[in-house]
Amino acid sequence: MKKTALIFLMLLAMMPAWGQTFDLEGKIGDRYSIVMQLAGDGSGTVCGRYAYRSTLDRDGDVPCSWLYLAPDVDSPYSKWLVTDCHGKHVETWTNVDFTDRCYLTAKMSNVKGRSYDVVAAVVNAPKLYTPLNSYFKEHIGEYMSEFKMFDDSKVKGRLQDLMGIMNVGALRDIIQVEFPVEYSKGMYWGAGFMAHQCCDPAAVWAYDTQANSFYVWVLKDGGDHWWSETGDIPLKFQELVRGAF
């Protein structure tokens, strides 16, 4: 298996620290049925793989039944390069649009010079959560430990779905010296670090009132780790993290 396939599989293995995975179903040229798997990398770009249903039915779900999609270096948000399982370039997708994370459209050109429209829809709909705007508004200026944020089921369940139980436990362990909850750029947020170790490990979380989404950043042993319920790490959260400590 070549580089593009390995990148995708590595990204899937890292997923709750990166964002979201998406399963899609669609058609190429309004004729050929396909299935697709995409993974967000936290910056707004995605990579993945797709397969024709006829190929999967004939050959089974093996690596060489799939074609592998990787963002083009110069146009990562709108152009994908497609390789087979041996790393051979077989297609180029342009005008890629997956901005709403529900539908994907693109124009595919293969090495034979033929072009087709690609249309696909996400089939693994994300969970719909109750907005927490009023909940956090009530606690502006308070410390997380004061209102037991990490024990509140409305918050705890969502963070566990996003990060996994062990990572949420590690987050709680890190936030020993904590900052009070603030509101800026449409986000309620808090931060903290481990006592006597400012500021590694450290953590920042935010709740985005517009996207109804949690974002989390953890610094540990010099490495950055990001989580997002939307699959993207917006610039406003990145800026908040840079200015938190």
Side-chain angles (χ1 to χ4, degrees):
M1 193 181 303
K2 299 297 182 179
K3 184 177 180 180
T4 307
L6 287 172
I7 290 173
F8 174 68
L9 294 176
M10 289 170 64
L11 187 54
L12 284 179
M14 294 171 65
M15 271 324 287
W18 284 82
Q20 289 179 302
T21 59
F22 304 89
D23 296 321
L24 300 90
E25 296 179 358
K27 287 189 175 182
I28 289 181
D30 200 30
R31 295 175 56 192
Y32 307 105
S33 295
I34 61 170
V35 294
M36 187 179 303
Q37 297 175 345
L38 300 177
D41 71 353
S43 69
T45 62
V46 294
C47 72
R49 63 181 187 172
Y50 86 93
Y52 291 89
R53 285 194 178 276
S54 58
T55 303
L56 291 174
D57 291 342
R58 184 186 67 236
D59 300 334
D61 188 356
V62 296
C64 282
S65 291
W66 296 85
L67 297 172
Y68 295 87
L69 306 140
D72 179 68
V73 173
D74 295 323
S75 304
Y77 300 101
S78 61
K79 182 178 179 181
W80 291 349
L81 304 180
V82 185
T83 58
D84 62 17
C85 64
H86 303 294
K88 180 182 178 182
H89 177 225
V90 293
E91 297 172 359
T92 299
W93 289 21
T94 55
N95 301 328
V96 178
D97 185 0
F98 189 49
T99 53
D100 65 358
R101 298 301 193 260
C102 295
Y103 300 96
L104 180 142
T105 58
K107 176 72 73 173
M108 181 267 275
S109 300
N110 61 27
V111 292
K112 296 179 181 180
R114 297 173 182 169
S115 297
Y116 301 92
D117 291 324
V118 182
V119 178
V122 172
V123 294
N124 60 332
K127 287 185 178 181
L128 298 177
Y129 294 107
T130 302
L132 298 174
N133 302 27
S134 58
Y135 171 79
F136 283 113
K137 186 177 181 179
E138 293 177 0
H139 298 296
I140 289 181
E142 296 181 24
Y143 292 94
M144 290 164 266
S145 58
E146 286 186 82
F147 61 99
K148 296 181 171 56
M149 187 186 87
F150 291 115
D151 293 318
D152 190 299
S153 60
K154 296 186 293 294
V155 176
K156 182 179 179 180
R158 287 180 65 163
L159 291 180
Q160 287 181 347
D161 286 345
L162 175 63
M163 305 174 64
I165 294 175
M166 291 183 63
N167 286 326
V168 173
L171 177 65
R172 297 183 65 164
D173 291 340
I174 289 170
I175 300 179
Q176 297 176 2
V177 178
E178 54 185 298
F179 302 165
V181 175
E182 298 185 35
Y183 179 82
S184 60
K185 299 182 178 180
M187 299 181 294
Y188 294 99
W189 65 279
F193 56 88
M194 192 168 287
H196 312 299
Q197 298 187 49
C198 182
C199 292
D200 183 354
V204 179
W205 63 267
Y207 172 75
D208 189 334
T209 60
Q210 296 176 323
N212 185 20
S213 174
F214 273 105
Y215 313 123
V216 180
W217 168 82
V218 170
L219 174 67
K220 188 173 183 180
D221 299 326
D224 294 293
H225 306 275
W226 303 84
W227 289 265
S228 167
E229 285 184 317
T230 65
D232 296 330
I233 307 296
L235 179 61
K236 63 181 181 179
F237 181 63
Q238 296 179 47
E239 291 175 342
L240 188 155
V241 166
R242 287 196 290 267
F245 297 99

